[in-house]
Amino acid sequence: MDQPVRELSYAQAIQEAMAIAMEQDERVFLMGEDIGVYGGAFQVTGDLVERFGADRVIDTPISELGGAGVAVGAAVTGLRPIFEFQFSDFATLAMEQIVNQAAKMRYMLGGAVSVPVVMRFPAGSGTGAAAQHSQSLEAWLGHVPGLKVIQPATPHDAKGMLLAAVADPDPVMIFEHKLLYKMKGPVPEGYYTVPIGKAEIRREGRDLTIVATSIMVHKALEAAKTLEAEGIDVEVVDLRTIRPMDTQTVIDSVKKTSRLLCVYEGVKTLGVGAEVSAAIAESDAFDFLDAPIVRLGGAETPIPYNPELEKATVPQVPDILKAARDLVSGRR
Amino acid sequence: MPTEVILPKVDMDMATGKISRWYVEEGAPVKKGDVLFEIETDKAAMEIDAPASGILRDVTGKEGIDIPVGEPVAWIYAEGEAQDRPVAAVAAPATEEPKREDTKPVQAEPMVQAQPAATAAKGEGARATPLARRLAAEAGLSLDAIAGSGPKGRVTRSDVEAIISAPAGRTEAKAPDAPRRPNGQPSASSQALPTDGAVLNHAWLRQGSGRPIVLLHGFGADLNSWRPLLQAGPVDAPVLALDLPGHGGSGRTVPADLDAIAAQVEATLAALDVGPLLLVGHSFGGAVAAAVASRGIADVRALALIAPAGLGPEINGAFLDGFVRARSEASLVPWLKLLVADEQLLSKPFVNATLAQSADSELRGVQAAIADRFFADGTQTFDIRKQLAGLRIPVRVMFGAGDRIIPSSQAFGLPGEIALHVFAATGHMPQLEQREAVLRILLEMARA
């Protein structure tokens, strides 16, 4: 069944997914700060309050812990809430509900309940929003068993993975890079899902595997284009899901290319790329490595306000180019 | 400080080795990378490069005696450097100095103390990537014997492959626990032990995806003979090479007929779970390949025959006799020259590799019996034309126009749908002499 495909922005794709979910299932509703009349800090909810009413598109007070608690409770009692954080940084305020309640309740109650809550986190730097509004905290939540953590990189995946998240019986955390919201891409009409826990090969190559997440996928693809002209054939793996991680796809890719570069915006130390590196070093792909594994991650510093410094704290295309050239030419 | 030259480990299970020949004399200048000496194990001969530039001195590793692996055999002094090794000169009186006349293997102790820096560089173990380590182990190569091109001398895949692809005389290492994948996805190089049973010795020479290419070597050769071909360009398909019975590491039996060999090939392919494949055979292996294809037991989807036997009665019987009987370089090289149009292709390592096999009297004895059975009195006693005519898969035949073993004119008169490639100025080994073109044709067939 081929659905017609149009160009939508990443934000529009998410909005469409939420609308479809609410049309299909009356248990689905939205919560978040300023998501009603204002349409959301990044205009992702837009005019959904007019279509579905204030009962299903609910503005919450400025209390992340309270809002998250209501969402988790609603999920436990059988509803399907989608809760938007204004900035992913504010997950820190709601950790009790996310980590101690949502993630554990199914286990602690012997499977008697599940927590089908979806939480959306506008994340990442690049908007000049400084240290408290620019972080990439996906690895924090990726460390918690009981949660599923995803980072869609395209409008297509943003819609399909959100619909998969709504259908999922467990809490799903979606990290959406703020700079992706305006990016356009092909999005099929109607309902479809993109599986959680499955990485996607965005570009096939033989010389080097770049495992990237979220906006870094696009930077890696741009770098791959430049490298192609230099005769370096890069495979780009879009990890898409942090937990549960699809290490098999990475293993297979590394067995083919013998070189691995991990690119992610979160702080490099103890980050997503650290986990990918370790998984490969432990796997049977180890014996296929012909160069050290290299990580490009965020700098070990709070994100600065100064736009030039802000750029310098996260991997950029020239950084990827240099790392890739060094790896393939045997300089590393 | 002079650089120590040690006897490297060139084979996995090698404890001692013999220097068969020094290429540089004591006191002569040597450049880093020059061939310094040739080492001989019971399986292979290999040339060892100089680890540094300078003057070769204190050559203690004498030709023809067993020397433990890792033992110093000589020293290379920088231009103008004092000739005597520090400790040997100062601390050890002349009585302790090992003399060149010593017949026993050299004892290491004076050098070990004298050269802490030089020994440490070697002693800490070669720096190598996991992939290079694995490939070297599978090929039976010592990392110590490989010059690393990576940072800090790290050995990488390309360094190992450069050594493997040189037509050198190593025999395949006998991996005791050959990994086999049930789904037919080959591991990079898996090998069964030489066996008297049905499964032939084999090696995955390349990994990859898509239709596997299976290679059958010619009379008197072994699976290593395909390595130069694969070095001619990137290979994306998995490549499996087999040792025919009575050859390489396979059981030393004299098969009754082509069908018996074909059955062993089929059993090996089945044991390895190799699915739809491109079968390639050279010379005698070409006749075996045709038999396998026509029997329809293995899933052969395309067939490539390089200078195949079995298309006519005539074969160079003098070559077969002389080749099998040759035990020395002097008696072997004239016959090897008949194989190729351009003698330049007979590199020193290639000759040494063949010579190493020739030194194995039992092996050549079995092969003489095989030659008697299949090429009695200089005649090809079997015919594959009927098998070829019955095939309904793509078949290509390649010949060198200047083939002096099997005349290329035998390729004429085949069914019209069989493609024929004839290479000018090429002898009996198009896979060596026209390796780029042959590889291109094979990959094209594998992809089709």
Side-chain angles (χ1 to χ4, degrees):
Chain A
M1 204 164 53
D2 283 337
Q3 295 148 327
V5 176
R6 318 113 313 146
E7 291 272 311
L8 289 186
S9 74
Y10 190 96
Q12 287 170 328
I14 294 170
Q15 186 185 114
E16 184 168 280
M18 294 192 294
I20 289 172
M22 285 198 285
E23 276 162 8
Q24 280 198 344
D25 186 343
E26 60 181 16
R27 296 173 302 170
V28 177
F29 69 102
L30 314 183
M31 289 174 61
E33 295 164 16
D34 290 331
I35 66 164
V37 178
Y38 184 65
F42 297 95
Q43 294 301 308
V44 175
T45 349
D47 63 356
L48 289 183
V49 69
E50 285 160 33
R51 289 173 58 191
F52 294 95
D55 287 348
R56 294 183 75 191
V57 181
I58 303 169
D59 270 327
T60 61
I62 304 180
S63 169
E64 281 76 13
L65 181 60
V70 171
V72 171
V76 170
T77 55
L79 297 178
R80 298 259 163 178
I82 301 174
F83 185 70
E84 176 185 295
F85 284 77
Q86 205 158 50
F87 287 86
S88 68
D89 310 71
F90 306 152
T92 57
L93 291 154
M95 277 298 174
E96 163 63 19
Q97 285 302 321
I98 299 169
V99 176
N100 273 337
Q101 304 304 331
K104 297 182 173 58
M105 212 169 283
R106 176 205 267 278
Y107 296 82
M108 294 179 68
L109 297 180
V113 301
S114 67
V115 188
V117 65
V118 175
M119 294 185 176
R120 296 182 36 248
F121 300 94
S125 68
T127 60
Q132 297 167 322
H133 299 77
S134 302
Q135 298 170 84
S136 298
L137 298 180
E138 55 275 359
W140 282 38
L141 298 187
H143 193 66
V144 180
L147 299 180
K148 290 174 180 165
V149 183
I150 62 178
Q151 284 187 285
T154 65
H156 174 276
D157 284 1
K159 178 178 170 183
M161 294 189 90
L162 177 52
L163 286 170
V166 171
D168 198 283
D170 291 313
V172 180
M173 312 288 116
I174 308 179
F175 283 81
E176 303 160 358
H177 200 289
K178 297 189 285 270
L179 293 185
L180 290 177
Y181 280 135
K182 289 187 175 150
M183 198 193 82
K184 292 202 165 187
V187 178
E189 287 181 1
Y191 185 90
Y192 68 93
T193 59
V194 171
I196 293 169
K198 188 82 198 77
E200 174 81 358
I201 294 174
R202 295 286 176 203
R203 183 186 196 285
E204 291 197 10
R206 304 187 57 84
D207 297 329
L208 167 70
T209 297
I210 298 182
V211 175
T213 52
S214 190
I215 194 166
M216 292 300 157
V217 172
H218 302 284
K219 293 187 182 180
L221 286 168
E222 193 184 328
K225 229 173 172 178
T226 305
L227 292 164
E228 184 178 23
E230 300 171 15
I232 298 175
D233 191 12
V234 177
E235 178 143 311
V236 177
V237 178
D238 176 359
L239 202 54
R240 297 206 292 202
T241 301
I242 304 307
R243 171 180 283 274
M245 196 178 279
D246 179 8
T247 46
Q248 191 57 49
T249 295
V250 184
I251 288 169
D252 293 343
S253 177
V254 170
K255 280 185 178 176
K256 186 169 73 166
T257 65
S258 297
R259 300 182 184 94
L260 174 60
L261 171 63
C262 304
V263 189
Y264 52 111
E265 180 165 332
V267 173
K268 179 177 169 183
T269 300
L270 295 163
V272 170
E275 181 56 35
V276 175
S277 306
I280 291 306
E282 285 177 342
S283 78
D284 56 339
F286 174 79
D287 278 326
F288 291 75
L289 285 171
D290 202 31
I293 300 171
V294 174
R295 285 176 292 155
L296 285 180
E300 311 291 323
T301 174
I303 304 280
Y305 173 67
N306 175 302
E308 291 308 314
L309 290 177
E310 180 183 25
K311 250 187 255 170
T313 55
V314 298
Q316 305 294 347
V317 174
D319 303 320
I320 301 173
L321 289 173
K322 178 171 188 321
R325 288 173 186 140
D326 283 354
L327 267 171
V328 173
S329 68
R331 284 196 292 269
R332 288 194 81 133
Chain B
M1 189 154 275
T3 304
E4 184 185 41
V5 180
I6 60 153
L7 187 90
K9 189 176 174 123
V10 295
D11 209 323
M12 275 220 293
D13 41 30
M14 160 183 176
T16 65
K18 281 192 185 96
I19 294 178
S20 45
R21 179 173 172 195
W22 281 93
Y23 286 91
V24 180
E25 281 182 33
E26 169 121 20
V30 62
K31 277 220 305 282
K32 182 177 181 180
D34 284 355
V35 175
L36 200 52
F37 59 93
E38 184 183 76
I39 187 171
E40 204 177 66
T41 69
D42 51 349
K43 291 193 213 145
M46 181 175 266
E47 291 170 341
I48 306 301
D49 296 346
S53 298
I55 309 292
L56 186 71
R57 301 227 181 256
D58 303 326
V59 178
T60 51
K62 301 188 64 172
E63 293 179 359
I65 59 167
D66 277 311
I67 301 171
V69 165
E71 204 84 320
V73 294
W75 300 81
I76 296 173
Y77 286 74
E79 210 76 53
E81 191 170 13
Q83 279 187 24
D84 291 319
R85 300 186 301 281
V87 170
V90 178
T95 51
E96 292 279 13
E97 180 76 24
K99 289 277 178 284
R100 292 198 68 207
E101 291 72 35
D102 285 357
T103 48
K104 284 200 317 186
V106 178
Q107 295 307 305
E109 80 286 345
M111 295 76 166
V112 169
Q113 287 170 352
Q115 301 300 329
T119 44
K122 274 288 175 193
E124 72 187 11
R127 205 179 275 273
T129 67
L131 180 60
R133 226 167 254 288
R134 180 169 63 83
L135 293 176
E138 284 167 358
L141 291 169
S142 161
L143 289 168
D144 285 336
I146 302 174
S149 64
K152 297 179 188 164
R154 188 193 296 135
V155 179
T156 62
R157 164 168 56 186
S158 56
D159 300 325
V160 179
E161 285 182 345
I163 299 231
I164 290 175
S165 64
R170 303 163 311 84
T171 327
E172 280 297 308
K174 309 288 184 287
D177 50 350
R180 233 202 266 143
R181 311 254 175 113
N183 58 3
Q185 255 291 87
S187 64
S189 171
S190 57
Q191 279 186 285
L193 282 164
T195 168
D196 296 330
V199 175
L200 296 166
N201 188 48
H202 57 272
W204 286 102
L205 300 183
R206 286 292 185 278
Q207 271 207 310
S209 55
R211 179 171 295 171
I213 302 175
V214 177
L215 305 170
L216 303 178
H217 61 77
F219 176 76
D222 67 9
L223 59 82
N224 290 310
S225 63
W226 294 104
R227 294 187 187 273
L229 168 70
L230 299 178
Q231 201 57 25
V235 177
D236 47 11
V239 178
L240 175 71
L242 307 185
D243 277 338
L244 294 177
H247 289 76
S250 287
R252 296 188 170 176
T253 55
V254 181
D257 49 26
L258 279 184
D259 277 325
I261 306 176
Q264 278 188 275
V265 172
E266 287 154 5
T268 307
L269 295 175
L272 296 171
D273 201 11
V274 178
L277 60 101
L278 163 63
L279 189 57
V280 184
H282 172 237
S283 194
F284 184 53
V288 175
V292 171
S294 80
R295 284 155 58 94
I297 293 168
D299 191 359
V300 179
R301 298 295 175 90
L303 181 65
L305 306 176
I306 304 170
L311 293 178
E314 189 190 343
I315 187 164
N316 190 333
F319 167 82
L320 293 172
D321 280 353
F323 175 82
V324 169
R325 285 171 51 198
R327 291 288 180 274
S328 73
E329 188 169 338
S331 59
L332 179 68
V333 168
W335 297 114
L336 291 183
K337 284 180 179 172
L338 287 181
L339 283 172
V340 291
D342 177 5
E343 292 174 11
Q344 301 291 327
L345 288 164
L346 299 177
S347 64
K348 179 86 184 150
F350 178 83
V351 172
N352 286 345
T354 318
L355 207 51
Q357 294 194 31
S358 299
D360 187 338
S361 302
E362 188 203 340
L363 179 72
R364 287 295 193 238
V366 169
Q367 291 173 355
I370 292 173
D372 281 347
R373 178 160 293 169
F374 290 91
F375 305 109
D377 309 323
T379 304
Q380 305 191 41
T381 59
F382 49 92
D383 187 351
I384 62 168
R385 283 180 180 271
K386 199 194 270 177
Q387 282 96 322
L388 291 182
L391 290 177
R392 291 294 168 264
I393 55 174
V395 180
R396 296 204 199 191
V397 175
M398 293 169 235
F399 256 105
D403 195 323
R404 287 178 282 176
I405 309 300
I406 298 175
S408 61
S409 57
Q410 289 186 7
F412 297 130
L414 286 168
E417 66 260 42
I418 293 181
L420 175 60
H421 303 265
V422 180
F423 296 103
T426 302
H428 188 58
M429 309 275 285
Q431 74 273 34
L432 191 67
E433 305 176 71
Q434 303 290 343
R435 54 187 91 169
E436 287 86 6
V438 170
L439 183 64
R440 207 164 57 237
I441 290 168
L442 296 182
L443 292 177
E444 200 177 292
M445 292 181 78
R447 284 189 206 110

